[in-house]
Amino acid sequence: TDYNQLGFNLRSNIFQGGALKAQSLMKDSYTPDIIKKAIRDPNNWYGRKTDELGKWHQKNALNLNLQKAFEDKYG
């Protein structure tokens, strides 16, 4: 019976979903020029790249393995 009730509710569109228009507190609070400045341009992004992060993780893993080998050999 629960399955039949659920099917009836879905067919009769009782569960209508979310709002069609999303509202943003940032858009309501700030002027349009601030919002344009907040959008990050991927062509002019000078932050940390994935390649640099990958290199750091590789060096870190190598360093941890070296420390472990020293501890095993010299105690």
Side-chain angles (χ1 to χ4, degrees):
T1 59
D2 292 337
Y3 183 76
N4 290 334
Q5 278 186 329
L6 180 63
F8 174 77
N9 291 337
L10 288 172
R11 286 191 304 278
S12 60
N13 200 18
I14 289 178
F15 308 118
Q16 296 178 7
L20 295 177
K21 182 180 177 186
Q23 294 182 352
S24 170
L25 182 62
M26 182 179 172
K27 288 183 181 177
D28 291 342
S29 301
Y30 296 103
T31 56
D33 60 325
I34 299 294
I35 295 171
K36 287 178 185 173
K37 290 178 186 176
I39 296 172
R40 192 178 291 157
D41 184 17
N43 295 328
N44 295 325
W45 169 242
Y46 299 107
R48 181 182 287 175
K49 305 261 191 297
T50 306
D51 295 338
E52 295 172 2
L53 188 62
K55 288 178 187 176
W56 182 88
H57 279 292
Q58 186 177 12
K59 288 175 81 175
N60 188 37
L62 195 67
N63 188 23
L64 291 174
N65 289 340
L66 184 64
Q67 285 180 356
K68 185 176 179 183
F70 275 138
E71 287 176 3
D72 289 344
K73 186 169 184 178
Y74 297 112

